[in-house]
Amino acid sequence: MRILLPDIPEAERTPLVRQLLEIIYLQQERIQQLEERIQQLEDEIARLKGLKARPRIAPSALETSPRPPRDPDAKRPGSAKRSKTAQLTITEEIVIRLPDVPPEATFKGYEDFVVQDLVLQPRVVRYRRERWLTPDGQDLVAPLPADVLPGSHYGPDLICFILHQYHHQHVTQPLLLEQLHQLGIDISAGELSRILTEGKDAFHQEKAELLPAALAVSAYVQVDDTGARHQGHSGFCTHIGNELFASFASTDSKSRLNFLEVLRRPHADYVINETTVAYWQRQKLPAAVVDQLRRGPRAFVDTAAWQGRLRELGITKRRHVRIASEGALLGSLIAHGVSPQLAILSDGAGQYDVLAHAACWIHAERPLARLIPYSDEHRAAIAKVRHEIWELYRDLKGYRQRPERSRRADLEARFDALCRQRTGFPSIDGVLKAMGAHRAALLRVLDRPAIPLHTNLSEGHLRDYVKKRKISGSTRSELGRAARDTFASLKKTCRELGVNFWAYLQDRVRGLGQIPRLAVLIRQKAEEMPARKAVAAPPA
């Protein structure tokens, strides 16, 4: 529903009239949001009924580039001739004889015809282990083959199949159980759940190695969060990643304190150092509290020891405890080798504003794209400002490719002019004012060209997690919650490193050790990407 407003002459558009128009606009925007929510619910109902839903909104224009005209005589990309079987491993070869060969015929070799197939059938092996009784009464039993997992009546291929179907293909447990039964596997729902969640310490350990290894060799990380229900309660999943890795951590909060605790993992200590004190002073923690904390111990092994120190000093105010804890967590990060210049690229959320914060341009521009114009002048003003943002954004992308210090002053001046302009429409001016308040974060690319201008990679990593959440709902046990985070992290990290996830599961479940630890591969890939390794210096 949209209210049609009369054409108000410019001379009659007093500040009060403009303010009233803005109020009407805000109400229309709220109605629009409600209509979109209703449409989402209708689409969900249609999906459940097997009907077609409306197409989704197109992606942001900031990241859409026009395609070059296609040559009508050129071949379609990817249609070049290639050997269809060059990459295949022949597992079986069958020679077919020609019946009734004429006596005068000459043998000319073979004509190959390759057929690919997949065998999905149960393989049930009974191992008849010899038992011997020695004269002294000792009972001896023949050992099982090396490929039989200790204590398990399910083979490694079946376990890999279950993990791959559930974590990679998003098959729910009920459907996976039904599939296994239809294939002839005798397994209970409880046993399936145990295979998915229990005995995964080796995977959890490898996941815990990802974040410290990546932080040690990265110039920046992208961060974002999404909802993650657990035991029927709302929670959050924090994603940290870049072109080297992805790490997911489900928690009950998404505060800055929680983010720093996640970023610090797997360490659990609190440290007071120069970075800690600088953070306290920047956050205006009272000088008397800072002096108290600086006297005495500087390192605390865990949360209990840190909280005990705060109580000992009489620091109990909620704000003081929060800021003191955030600073000590930040100090722990630096103490464990994380660079103070590590860039944190986010959608602009305040909890991520630590170290060298960088903001996503697409999120900064998005409020303008969502505005509902209430007049031709309002529509024209929105279009003009968005065009200016896109032009500046494209020039910043060009700067990333060829960072030249001589261009920085012009880009900074254009950004300042963009944010200082006043269109006469409070809704537009408010967006520009918010962009100006995040000037340092939005222009971080001028000092650090390696940092992207958007968080598309982080949102892409989370999209897979969100799909699984929508399909499977919430987790019910701590083991299930940990398994969800671990395998989402390992799967996405394998993809970024170019590791076949099925081959990875086979290697780890069988204990072969032929695929290196993912943390090792992260360091190796970082060596091949010098622009991403460590902190990029400002261009000369």
Side-chain angles (χ1 to χ4, degrees):
M1 183 182 72
R2 182 181 176 186
I3 301 174
L4 297 177
L5 299 173
D7 187 15
I8 303 175
E10 187 64 31
E12 297 180 9
R13 295 195 175 193
T14 63
L16 178 58
V17 172
R18 290 185 181 274
Q19 188 173 2
L20 291 174
L21 289 174
E22 287 294 319
I23 293 174
I24 295 174
Y25 148 73
L26 290 174
Q27 293 301 321
Q28 290 189 136
E29 184 176 24
R30 177 58 178 163
I31 292 172
Q32 177 69 23
Q33 292 173 351
L34 292 174
E35 289 177 347
E36 291 175 358
R37 179 57 179 161
I38 292 171
Q39 186 61 51
Q40 291 174 359
L41 295 174
E42 290 179 349
D43 289 345
E44 179 67 12
I45 293 172
R47 185 189 66 80
L48 295 173
K49 289 183 176 181
L51 305 176
K52 291 184 178 179
R54 286 175 52 183
R56 299 196 174 193
I57 300 174
S60 170
L62 284 175
E63 278 302 302
T64 54
S65 55
R67 294 183 178 180
R70 183 173 175 267
D71 184 357
D73 298 327
K75 290 187 176 181
R76 178 178 56 82
S79 62
K81 293 294 183 182
R82 63 181 179 85
S83 174
K84 300 297 189 294
T85 61
Q87 305 299 323
L88 296 179
T89 300
I90 304 299
T91 58
E92 185 178 2
E93 192 170 79
I94 300 176
V95 177
I96 302 178
R97 306 293 181 183
L98 179 66
D100 302 325
V101 180
E104 300 83 3
T106 302
F107 180 67
K108 305 293 288 184
Y110 298 95
E111 179 179 313
D112 293 339
F113 187 84
V114 177
V115 176
Q116 297 183 68
D117 202 355
L118 181 66
V119 179
L120 282 178
Q121 64 180 27
R123 178 174 177 264
V124 183
V125 180
R126 175 189 292 164
Y127 292 100
R128 299 184 63 82
R129 306 165 64 186
E130 289 187 349
R131 296 185 59 186
W132 294 82
L133 183 64
T134 63
D136 59 357
Q138 185 179 2
D139 192 13
L140 302 178
V141 182
L144 289 168
D147 61 346
V148 176
L149 301 179
S152 176
H153 292 281
Y154 301 95
D157 284 330
L158 177 58
I159 290 178
C160 289
F161 178 79
I162 290 172
L163 294 174
H164 195 273
Q165 285 290 94
Y166 184 76
H167 293 291
H168 191 278
Q169 303 301 120
H170 303 314
V171 181
T172 62
Q173 286 194 44
L175 285 177
L176 182 52
L177 182 65
E178 183 179 358
Q179 181 186 31
L180 293 173
H181 287 168
Q182 291 178 357
L183 291 174
I185 300 296
D186 184 11
I187 187 172
S188 67
E191 189 61 41
L192 176 62
S193 178
R194 282 189 287 274
I195 290 176
L196 290 170
T197 60
E198 296 180 7
K200 300 296 180 288
D201 292 344
F203 289 105
H204 295 323
Q205 176 58 37
E206 187 157 13
K207 184 254 185 179
E209 298 170 3
L210 301 179
L211 187 56
L215 292 181
V217 296
S218 297
Y220 79 97
V221 292
Q222 294 191 23
V223 296
D224 204 351
D225 57 63
T226 187
R229 289 179 64 80
H230 177 62
Q231 294 180 346
H233 300 287
S234 297
F236 303 92
C237 175
T238 301
H239 163 267
I240 304 172
N242 56 26
E243 297 91 341
L244 299 173
F245 80 111
S247 179
F248 298 87
S250 295
T251 57
D252 298 328
S253 168
K254 63 173 185 177
S255 63
R256 181 179 297 178
L257 194 64
N258 173 78
F259 171 62
L260 289 172
E261 287 177 346
V262 171
L263 196 63
R264 174 194 58 166
R265 292 181 180 178
H267 307 292
D269 57 344
Y270 292 73
V271 177
I272 299 175
N273 50 28
E274 293 181 359
T275 302
T276 308
V277 175
Y279 179 84
W280 289 341
Q281 294 172 344
R282 192 163 59 251
Q283 296 295 321
K284 296 182 171 51
L285 188 65
V289 176
V290 174
D291 291 339
Q292 280 184 296
L293 289 168
R294 293 179 68 175
R295 293 194 296 267
R298 293 297 187 99
F300 306 87
V301 294
D302 54 21
T303 302
W306 171 251
Q307 293 293 340
R309 176 60 175 168
L310 294 179
R311 288 192 298 270
E312 177 186 341
L313 296 176
I315 301 174
T316 57
K317 287 188 178 180
R318 186 174 179 179
R319 177 178 176 273
H320 295 173
V321 170
R322 175 179 58 81
I323 295 176
S325 300
E326 291 171 353
L329 289 171
L330 203 55
S332 173
L333 275 172
I334 305 306
H336 289 291
V338 175
S339 170
Q341 298 303 314
L342 177 72
I344 308 295
L345 174 60
S346 76
D347 58 6
Q351 67 266 27
Y352 303 126
D353 189 2
V354 294
L355 300 175
H357 187 221
C360 171
W361 274 76
I362 294 178
H363 282 85
E365 182 266 351
R366 188 168 293 171
L368 286 174
R370 291 175 173 171
L371 289 180
I372 302 174
Y374 57 81
S375 67
D376 291 339
E377 292 83 358
H378 193 205
R379 181 179 294 102
I382 294 173
K384 174 180 177 295
V385 171
R386 293 187 70 194
H387 177 74
E388 292 175 359
I389 292 175
W390 295 343
E391 289 295 318
L392 179 57
Y393 178 84
R394 293 188 181 98
D395 289 343
L396 287 171
K397 286 178 66 177
Y399 178 88
R400 286 193 71 228
Q401 302 300 320
R402 297 183 59 186
E404 299 173 359
R405 183 171 290 275
S406 58
R407 299 175 58 193
R408 291 186 51 174
D410 175 64
L411 293 170
E412 290 175 340
R414 287 172 58 189
F415 179 87
D416 294 337
L418 171 69
C419 297
R420 280 199 303 264
Q421 67 175 301
R422 293 297 174 260
T423 63
F425 297 99
S427 57
I428 302 176
D429 295 344
V431 175
L432 294 175
K433 185 177 179 181
M435 290 183 64
H438 293 84
R439 182 183 190 277
L442 288 170
L443 295 182
R444 187 70 62 187
V445 66
L446 298 180
D447 292 324
R448 313 275 290 282
I451 303 173
L453 294 166
H454 53 73
T455 58
N456 287 1
L457 182 141
S458 185
E459 293 196 351
H461 284 176
L462 273 175
R463 189 173 296 117
D464 207 54
Y465 192 98
V466 171
K467 284 193 299 183
K468 185 168 184 61
R469 181 191 68 203
K470 289 183 176 180
I471 293 171
S472 298
S474 65
T475 51
R476 291 180 291 180
S477 68
E478 290 300 329
L479 288 175
R481 188 186 205 182
R484 179 182 62 180
D485 292 345
T486 289
F487 284 97
S489 304
L490 297 174
K491 169 189 169 182
K492 285 297 183 181
T493 301
C494 282
R495 182 170 295 176
E496 293 297 339
L497 296 174
V499 176
N500 184 302
F501 188 58
W502 171 257
Y504 169 83
L505 289 175
Q506 285 277 344
D507 185 88
R508 296 304 190 260
V509 170
R510 294 178 180 273
L512 302 178
Q514 296 175 354
I515 296 178
R517 305 285 289 183
L518 296 183
V520 173
L521 294 178
I522 287 173
R523 297 186 185 96
Q524 291 177 357
K525 186 175 180 180
E527 292 291 336
E528 300 167 3
M529 303 168 61
R532 309 290 182 192
K533 182 186 175 185
V535 177

